[in-house]
Amino acid sequence: MVEYAINPWMDTNAPVDTELAVKQWEGLRETLVRLGHTVHVLLPEIGLPDMVYAANGAFSVDGVVYGAKFKYPQRAAEAAAHRRFYETLGWRYHLASETNEGEGDFTYLPAAHGGLILAGHGFRTEVAAHAEAQEVLGRPVISLRLTDPRIYHLDVALQPLDDANIAYYPGAFSESAQKVLAQLFPDAVVATEEDALTFGLNLVSDGRNVVLNSEATGLAASLRSAGYVPVPVELSELKKGGGSVKCCVAELRG
Ligand code: ARG
């Protein structure tokens, strides 16, 4: 069962197949390992069902961590679990004063314009957190306003494909944000509304292999024509919480 609803995808009456959900999550983990990534697992905690969306707990660049401060009380306690994890790694952790949901609304492109943070606001993360992240991380932050409630986090609308380029759905952003993105990323893979709503953009790419939700067949085809290798994974049960591949993964940028 979905225990609470804090985004339009969550329906507390919709049944969830827990066994299948765990199997799908395992499939995602195995896919990442097979592609050569090291995967650390943050242990789940009772009473925090959304912890599976590990992207939201923090955002790190160069081994420096900007902690999350969740918008909804149901998720607030997740931040401390992430903090303990980073402290065990010995990374510098900064407690946030402003509301922000980590990699849900922040991403980093090391080779775009000398190293650029892209940040979303409008539903979860406050724009004041963008300035705070810039102070903590010492990298320029580009603020992008999200406008479609179904696409409530930046990582459902836009993801890096490599160190310098992105895929994104323009319709998720304000007109001004669309102009900014077109200016910064003239070679981006431009996705459709369907690509976004099948959670296709909620992807994890290593610059060549792009792990994405198997329902996003249209985006997989566009990525293939752009020279990438789509790697589809089934995450139907995770979608019931309003997330897919990227939501389950926090990138550790040491
Ligand atoms: N149920 C979670 C929430 O609404 C889903 C989070 C999805 N995570 C993400 N990185 N977009 O907060």
Side-chain angles (χ1 to χ4, degrees):
M1 218 59 185
V2 175
E3 290 175 27
Y4 52 80
I6 56 174
N7 70 55
W9 301 89
M10 298 173 90
D11 172 359
T12 51
N13 295 312
V16 177
D17 184 337
T18 308
E19 209 176 301
L20 181 59
V22 171
K23 215 172 110 196
Q24 292 179 337
W25 179 88
E26 276 295 345
L28 170 61
R29 194 183 63 86
E30 280 159 18
T31 303
L32 294 170
V33 170
R34 182 168 51 77
L35 291 172
H37 301 286
T38 303
V39 178
H40 300 267
V41 176
L42 197 65
L43 292 179
E45 289 181 22
I46 288 167
L48 297 174
D50 267 336
M51 241 183 123
V52 68
Y53 304 110
N56 300 124
F59 172 60
S60 65
V61 177
D62 304 327
V64 180
V65 186
Y66 177 53
K69 187 177 175 213
F70 284 86
K71 172 162 178 157
Y72 293 108
Q74 291 95 328
R75 299 198 66 185
E78 292 178 38
H82 286 265
R83 177 182 187 166
R84 284 191 296 276
F85 172 78
Y86 287 103
E87 286 176 347
T88 311
L89 291 183
W91 291 18
R92 207 146 37 94
Y93 183 95
H94 291 260
L95 203 59
S97 334
E98 307 294 344
T99 300
N100 83 87
E101 297 196 346
E103 296 220 322
D105 277 319
F106 287 102
T107 194
Y108 180 60
L109 290 113
H113 308 273
L116 209 58
I117 294 171
L118 303 181
H121 66 101
F123 298 102
R124 299 292 182 87
T125 295
E126 293 295 332
V127 74
H130 298 181
E132 191 177 37
Q134 179 167 292
E135 278 303 305
V136 168
L137 301 167
R139 299 278 178 182
V141 176
I142 303 290
S143 285
L144 303 163
R145 188 162 70 82
L146 295 163
T147 53
D148 182 334
R150 298 168 302 176
I151 306 173
Y152 58 93
H153 271 144
L154 181 71
D155 71 0
V156 186
L158 175 159
Q159 271 306 296
L161 292 172
D162 55 39
D163 286 350
N165 201 18
I166 58 169
Y168 74 107
Y169 166 51
F173 296 93
S174 70
E175 257 177 62
S176 299
Q178 290 180 34
K179 272 195 208 161
V180 170
L181 287 168
Q183 179 189 321
L184 292 174
F185 301 99
D187 301 323
V189 170
V190 175
T192 64
E193 180 180 30
E194 195 196 332
D195 296 336
L197 298 181
T198 49
F199 278 85
L201 289 164
N202 195 243
L203 58 83
V204 171
S205 173
D206 61 14
R208 175 178 159 76
N209 304 293
V210 184
V211 183
L212 82 171
N213 190 17
S214 57
E215 289 165 67
T217 50
L219 184 62
S222 322
L223 289 168
R224 204 173 295 114
S225 355
Y228 296 91
V229 180
V231 182
V233 290
E234 254 172 62
L235 284 177
S236 59
E237 297 311 287
L238 276 297
K239 203 174 152 198
K240 294 176 183 171
S244 188
V245 177
K246 171 58 203 162
C247 297
C248 296
V249 178
E251 192 179 330
L252 305 177
R253 297 182 197 80

PDB file of all heavy atoms in Angstrom, residues 108-116 118 159-167 184-188 207 228:
ATOM      1  N   TYR A 108      24.714  18.037 -11.445  1.00  0.00           N
ATOM      2  CA  TYR A 108      26.001  18.680 -11.705  1.00  0.00           C
ATOM      3  C   TYR A 108      26.606  18.176 -13.006  1.00  0.00           C
ATOM      4  O   TYR A 108      26.604  16.969 -13.272  1.00  0.00           O
ATOM      5  CB  TYR A 108      26.960  18.374 -10.548  1.00  0.00           C
ATOM      6  CG  TYR A 108      28.324  18.998 -10.704  1.00  0.00           C
ATOM      7  CD1 TYR A 108      28.458  20.383 -10.791  1.00  0.00           C
ATOM      8  CD2 TYR A 108      29.472  18.218 -10.765  1.00  0.00           C
ATOM      9  CE1 TYR A 108      29.704  20.964 -10.939  1.00  0.00           C
ATOM     10  CE2 TYR A 108      30.729  18.789 -10.911  1.00  0.00           C
ATOM     11  CZ  TYR A 108      30.832  20.167 -10.994  1.00  0.00           C
ATOM     12  OH  TYR A 108      32.071  20.742 -11.143  1.00  0.00           O
ATOM     13  N   LEU A 109      27.108  19.104 -13.814  1.00  0.00           N
ATOM     14  CA  LEU A 109      27.794  18.747 -15.060  1.00  0.00           C
ATOM     15  C   LEU A 109      29.216  19.283 -14.995  1.00  0.00           C
ATOM     16  O   LEU A 109      29.442  20.479 -15.194  1.00  0.00           O
ATOM     17  CB  LEU A 109      27.055  19.341 -16.264  1.00  0.00           C
ATOM     18  CG  LEU A 109      25.711  18.653 -16.516  1.00  0.00           C
ATOM     19  CD1 LEU A 109      24.571  19.604 -16.261  1.00  0.00           C
ATOM     20  CD2 LEU A 109      25.660  18.095 -17.922  1.00  0.00           C
ATOM     21  N   PRO A 110      30.188  18.406 -14.705  1.00  0.00           N
ATOM     22  CA  PRO A 110      31.564  18.865 -14.477  1.00  0.00           C
ATOM     23  C   PRO A 110      32.211  19.543 -15.686  1.00  0.00           C
ATOM     24  O   PRO A 110      33.074  20.390 -15.519  1.00  0.00           O
ATOM     25  CB  PRO A 110      32.322  17.578 -14.102  1.00  0.00           C
ATOM     26  CG  PRO A 110      31.447  16.449 -14.490  1.00  0.00           C
ATOM     27  CD  PRO A 110      30.048  16.947 -14.490  1.00  0.00           C
ATOM     28  N   ALA A 111      31.785  19.162 -16.909  1.00  0.00           N
ATOM     29  CA  ALA A 111      32.466  19.725 -18.080  1.00  0.00           C
ATOM     30  C   ALA A 111      31.608  20.741 -18.837  1.00  0.00           C
ATOM     31  O   ALA A 111      31.970  21.179 -19.922  1.00  0.00           O
ATOM     32  CB  ALA A 111      32.892  18.593 -19.009  1.00  0.00           C
ATOM     33  N   ALA A 112      30.495  21.136 -18.268  1.00  0.00           N
ATOM     34  CA  ALA A 112      29.676  22.163 -18.931  1.00  0.00           C
ATOM     35  C   ALA A 112      30.075  23.518 -18.362  1.00  0.00           C
ATOM     36  O   ALA A 112      29.950  23.741 -17.157  1.00  0.00           O
ATOM     37  CB  ALA A 112      28.193  21.901 -18.682  1.00  0.00           C
ATOM     38  N   HIS A 113      30.559  24.377 -19.206  1.00  0.00           N
ATOM     39  CA  HIS A 113      30.908  25.733 -18.796  1.00  0.00           C
ATOM     40  C   HIS A 113      31.810  25.734 -17.558  1.00  0.00           C
ATOM     41  O   HIS A 113      31.604  26.534 -16.627  1.00  0.00           O
ATOM     42  CB  HIS A 113      29.626  26.550 -18.573  1.00  0.00           C
ATOM     43  CG  HIS A 113      28.690  26.478 -19.760  1.00  0.00           C
ATOM     44  ND1 HIS A 113      28.796  27.342 -20.832  1.00  0.00           N
ATOM     45  CD2 HIS A 113      27.681  25.635 -20.055  1.00  0.00           C
ATOM     46  CE1 HIS A 113      27.872  27.023 -21.739  1.00  0.00           C
ATOM     47  NE2 HIS A 113      27.180  25.987 -21.295  1.00  0.00           N
ATOM     48  N   GLY A 114      32.734  24.811 -17.481  1.00  0.00           N
ATOM     49  CA  GLY A 114      33.687  24.779 -16.375  1.00  0.00           C
ATOM     50  C   GLY A 114      33.153  24.168 -15.090  1.00  0.00           C
ATOM     51  O   GLY A 114      33.817  24.219 -14.052  1.00  0.00           O
ATOM     52  N   GLY A 115      31.976  23.574 -15.135  1.00  0.00           N
ATOM     53  CA  GLY A 115      31.402  22.948 -13.924  1.00  0.00           C
ATOM     54  C   GLY A 115      30.177  23.707 -13.468  1.00  0.00           C
ATOM     55  O   GLY A 115      30.267  24.782 -12.893  1.00  0.00           O
ATOM     56  N   LEU A 116      29.022  23.124 -13.745  1.00  0.00           N
ATOM     57  CA  LEU A 116      27.773  23.852 -13.548  1.00  0.00           C
ATOM     58  C   LEU A 116      26.779  22.998 -12.755  1.00  0.00           C
ATOM     59  O   LEU A 116      26.590  21.820 -13.054  1.00  0.00           O
ATOM     60  CB  LEU A 116      27.182  24.109 -14.943  1.00  0.00           C
ATOM     61  CG  LEU A 116      26.322  25.329 -15.167  1.00  0.00           C
ATOM     62  CD1 LEU A 116      27.086  26.597 -14.819  1.00  0.00           C
ATOM     63  CD2 LEU A 116      25.862  25.362 -16.629  1.00  0.00           C
ATOM     64  N   LEU A 118      22.851  22.544 -11.947  1.00  0.00           N
ATOM     65  CA  LEU A 118      21.501  22.927 -12.370  1.00  0.00           C
ATOM     66  C   LEU A 118      20.563  22.612 -11.216  1.00  0.00           C
ATOM     67  O   LEU A 118      20.679  21.550 -10.591  1.00  0.00           O
ATOM     68  CB  LEU A 118      21.073  22.138 -13.616  1.00  0.00           C
ATOM     69  CG  LEU A 118      21.978  22.260 -14.839  1.00  0.00           C
ATOM     70  CD1 LEU A 118      21.407  21.436 -16.004  1.00  0.00           C
ATOM     71  CD2 LEU A 118      22.143  23.724 -15.256  1.00  0.00           C
ATOM     72  N   GLN A 159      18.100  15.260 -17.015  1.00  0.00           N
ATOM     73  CA  GLN A 159      19.246  14.548 -16.438  1.00  0.00           C
ATOM     74  C   GLN A 159      20.449  14.689 -17.355  1.00  0.00           C
ATOM     75  O   GLN A 159      20.297  14.754 -18.571  1.00  0.00           O
ATOM     76  CB  GLN A 159      18.947  13.058 -16.249  1.00  0.00           C
ATOM     77  CG  GLN A 159      18.308  12.681 -14.913  1.00  0.00           C
ATOM     78  CD  GLN A 159      19.073  13.167 -13.702  1.00  0.00           C
ATOM     79  OE1 GLN A 159      20.198  12.761 -13.454  1.00  0.00           O
ATOM     80  NE2 GLN A 159      18.470  14.067 -12.955  1.00  0.00           N
ATOM     81  N   PRO A 160      21.648  14.708 -16.777  1.00  0.00           N
ATOM     82  CA  PRO A 160      22.861  14.694 -17.597  1.00  0.00           C
ATOM     83  C   PRO A 160      22.993  13.367 -18.344  1.00  0.00           C
ATOM     84  O   PRO A 160      22.664  12.313 -17.809  1.00  0.00           O
ATOM     85  CB  PRO A 160      23.996  14.827 -16.580  1.00  0.00           C
ATOM     86  CG  PRO A 160      23.373  15.358 -15.346  1.00  0.00           C
ATOM     87  CD  PRO A 160      21.962  14.869 -15.339  1.00  0.00           C
ATOM     88  N   LEU A 161      23.468  13.431 -19.581  1.00  0.00           N
ATOM     89  CA  LEU A 161      23.777  12.226 -20.361  1.00  0.00           C
ATOM     90  C   LEU A 161      25.268  11.936 -20.309  1.00  0.00           C
ATOM     91  O   LEU A 161      25.702  10.803 -20.471  1.00  0.00           O
ATOM     92  CB  LEU A 161      23.345  12.407 -21.814  1.00  0.00           C
ATOM     93  CG  LEU A 161      21.837  12.485 -22.038  1.00  0.00           C
ATOM     94  CD1 LEU A 161      21.535  12.852 -23.494  1.00  0.00           C
ATOM     95  CD2 LEU A 161      21.167  11.164 -21.673  1.00  0.00           C
ATOM     96  N   ASP A 162      26.046  12.990 -20.130  1.00  0.00           N
ATOM     97  CA  ASP A 162      27.489  12.846 -19.944  1.00  0.00           C
ATOM     98  C   ASP A 162      27.945  14.068 -19.154  1.00  0.00           C
ATOM     99  O   ASP A 162      27.106  14.769 -18.584  1.00  0.00           O
ATOM    100  CB  ASP A 162      28.206  12.684 -21.294  1.00  0.00           C
ATOM    101  CG  ASP A 162      27.894  13.802 -22.272  1.00  0.00           C
ATOM    102  OD1 ASP A 162      27.798  14.978 -21.829  1.00  0.00           O
ATOM    103  OD2 ASP A 162      27.734  13.535 -23.471  1.00  0.00           O
ATOM    104  N   ASP A 163      29.261  14.340 -19.131  1.00  0.00           N
ATOM    105  CA  ASP A 163      29.767  15.423 -18.283  1.00  0.00           C
ATOM    106  C   ASP A 163      29.358  16.813 -18.756  1.00  0.00           C
ATOM    107  O   ASP A 163      29.515  17.795 -18.040  1.00  0.00           O
ATOM    108  CB  ASP A 163      31.303  15.350 -18.215  1.00  0.00           C
ATOM    109  CG  ASP A 163      31.750  14.196 -17.333  1.00  0.00           C
ATOM    110  OD1 ASP A 163      30.903  13.600 -16.642  1.00  0.00           O
ATOM    111  OD2 ASP A 163      32.961  13.898 -17.348  1.00  0.00           O
ATOM    112  N   ALA A 164      28.865  16.908 -20.013  1.00  0.00           N
ATOM    113  CA  ALA A 164      28.591  18.237 -20.545  1.00  0.00           C
ATOM    114  C   ALA A 164      27.216  18.398 -21.187  1.00  0.00           C
ATOM    115  O   ALA A 164      26.809  19.516 -21.493  1.00  0.00           O
ATOM    116  CB  ALA A 164      29.661  18.609 -21.576  1.00  0.00           C
ATOM    117  N   ASN A 165      26.506  17.281 -21.381  1.00  0.00           N
ATOM    118  CA  ASN A 165      25.236  17.400 -22.100  1.00  0.00           C
ATOM    119  C   ASN A 165      24.075  16.774 -21.322  1.00  0.00           C
ATOM    120  O   ASN A 165      24.275  15.931 -20.452  1.00  0.00           O
ATOM    121  CB  ASN A 165      25.347  16.769 -23.492  1.00  0.00           C
ATOM    122  CG  ASN A 165      24.284  17.296 -24.450  1.00  0.00           C
ATOM    123  OD1 ASN A 165      23.667  18.343 -24.216  1.00  0.00           O
ATOM    124  ND2 ASN A 165      24.046  16.565 -25.525  1.00  0.00           N
ATOM    125  N   ILE A 166      22.867  17.213 -21.660  1.00  0.00           N
ATOM    126  CA  ILE A 166      21.677  16.767 -20.926  1.00  0.00           C
ATOM    127  C   ILE A 166      20.584  16.272 -21.883  1.00  0.00           C
ATOM    128  O   ILE A 166      20.618  16.537 -23.087  1.00  0.00           O
ATOM    129  CB  ILE A 166      21.061  17.929 -20.086  1.00  0.00           C
ATOM    130  CG1 ILE A 166      20.687  19.125 -20.995  1.00  0.00           C
ATOM    131  CG2 ILE A 166      22.013  18.385 -19.002  1.00  0.00           C
ATOM    132  CD1 ILE A 166      19.838  20.193 -20.312  1.00  0.00           C
ATOM    133  N   ALA A 167      19.613  15.566 -21.292  1.00  0.00           N
ATOM    134  CA  ALA A 167      18.336  15.313 -21.952  1.00  0.00           C
ATOM    135  C   ALA A 167      17.297  16.007 -21.094  1.00  0.00           C
ATOM    136  O   ALA A 167      17.388  15.969 -19.855  1.00  0.00           O
ATOM    137  CB  ALA A 167      18.045  13.816 -22.017  1.00  0.00           C
ATOM    138  N   LEU A 184      22.286  27.277 -22.813  1.00  0.00           N
ATOM    139  CA  LEU A 184      23.407  26.551 -22.218  1.00  0.00           C
ATOM    140  C   LEU A 184      23.677  25.209 -22.900  1.00  0.00           C
ATOM    141  O   LEU A 184      24.809  24.749 -22.928  1.00  0.00           O
ATOM    142  CB  LEU A 184      23.150  26.292 -20.730  1.00  0.00           C
ATOM    143  CG  LEU A 184      23.140  27.502 -19.803  1.00  0.00           C
ATOM    144  CD1 LEU A 184      22.720  27.083 -18.400  1.00  0.00           C
ATOM    145  CD2 LEU A 184      24.526  28.159 -19.764  1.00  0.00           C
ATOM    146  N   PHE A 185      22.618  24.577 -23.397  1.00  0.00           N
ATOM    147  CA  PHE A 185      22.757  23.213 -23.942  1.00  0.00           C
ATOM    148  C   PHE A 185      22.150  23.090 -25.338  1.00  0.00           C
ATOM    149  O   PHE A 185      21.133  22.428 -25.533  1.00  0.00           O
ATOM    150  CB  PHE A 185      22.109  22.198 -22.983  1.00  0.00           C
ATOM    151  CG  PHE A 185      22.710  22.214 -21.613  1.00  0.00           C
ATOM    152  CD1 PHE A 185      22.093  22.898 -20.574  1.00  0.00           C
ATOM    153  CD2 PHE A 185      23.918  21.578 -21.361  1.00  0.00           C
ATOM    154  CE1 PHE A 185      22.663  22.938 -19.302  1.00  0.00           C
ATOM    155  CE2 PHE A 185      24.496  21.609 -20.106  1.00  0.00           C
ATOM    156  CZ  PHE A 185      23.866  22.286 -19.066  1.00  0.00           C
ATOM    157  N   PRO A 186      22.803  23.736 -26.330  1.00  0.00           N
ATOM    158  CA  PRO A 186      22.244  23.711 -27.686  1.00  0.00           C
ATOM    159  C   PRO A 186      22.196  22.303 -28.289  1.00  0.00           C
ATOM    160  O   PRO A 186      21.419  22.061 -29.201  1.00  0.00           O
ATOM    161  CB  PRO A 186      23.191  24.628 -28.476  1.00  0.00           C
ATOM    162  CG  PRO A 186      24.449  24.686 -27.675  1.00  0.00           C
ATOM    163  CD  PRO A 186      24.038  24.528 -26.244  1.00  0.00           C
ATOM    164  N   ASP A 187      23.015  21.380 -27.762  1.00  0.00           N
ATOM    165  CA  ASP A 187      23.051  20.026 -28.332  1.00  0.00           C
ATOM    166  C   ASP A 187      22.261  19.012 -27.510  1.00  0.00           C
ATOM    167  O   ASP A 187      22.417  17.797 -27.694  1.00  0.00           O
ATOM    168  CB  ASP A 187      24.511  19.539 -28.442  1.00  0.00           C
ATOM    169  CG  ASP A 187      25.346  20.465 -29.305  1.00  0.00           C
ATOM    170  OD1 ASP A 187      24.797  20.968 -30.305  1.00  0.00           O
ATOM    171  OD2 ASP A 187      26.523  20.708 -28.963  1.00  0.00           O
ATOM    172  N   ALA A 188      21.427  19.481 -26.604  1.00  0.00           N
ATOM    173  CA  ALA A 188      20.687  18.573 -25.717  1.00  0.00           C
ATOM    174  C   ALA A 188      19.786  17.629 -26.501  1.00  0.00           C
ATOM    175  O   ALA A 188      19.351  17.941 -27.611  1.00  0.00           O
ATOM    176  CB  ALA A 188      19.839  19.397 -24.755  1.00  0.00           C
ATOM    177  N   GLY A 207      27.573   8.205 -19.546  1.00  0.00           N
ATOM    178  CA  GLY A 207      28.189   8.869 -20.696  1.00  0.00           C
ATOM    179  C   GLY A 207      28.003   8.050 -21.966  1.00  0.00           C
ATOM    180  O   GLY A 207      28.148   8.556 -23.080  1.00  0.00           O
ATOM    181  N   TYR A 228      23.762   6.974 -27.912  1.00  0.00           N
ATOM    182  CA  TYR A 228      23.849   6.349 -26.587  1.00  0.00           C
ATOM    183  C   TYR A 228      23.306   4.925 -26.638  1.00  0.00           C
ATOM    184  O   TYR A 228      22.655   4.531 -27.609  1.00  0.00           O
ATOM    185  CB  TYR A 228      23.055   7.174 -25.557  1.00  0.00           C
ATOM    186  CG  TYR A 228      23.634   8.550 -25.355  1.00  0.00           C
ATOM    187  CD1 TYR A 228      23.194   9.633 -26.128  1.00  0.00           C
ATOM    188  CD2 TYR A 228      24.632   8.779 -24.417  1.00  0.00           C
ATOM    189  CE1 TYR A 228      23.738  10.900 -25.973  1.00  0.00           C
ATOM    190  CE2 TYR A 228      25.181  10.042 -24.249  1.00  0.00           C
ATOM    191  CZ  TYR A 228      24.731  11.102 -25.017  1.00  0.00           C
ATOM    192  OH  TYR A 228      25.273  12.348 -24.857  1.00  0.00           O
TER     193      TYR A 228
END
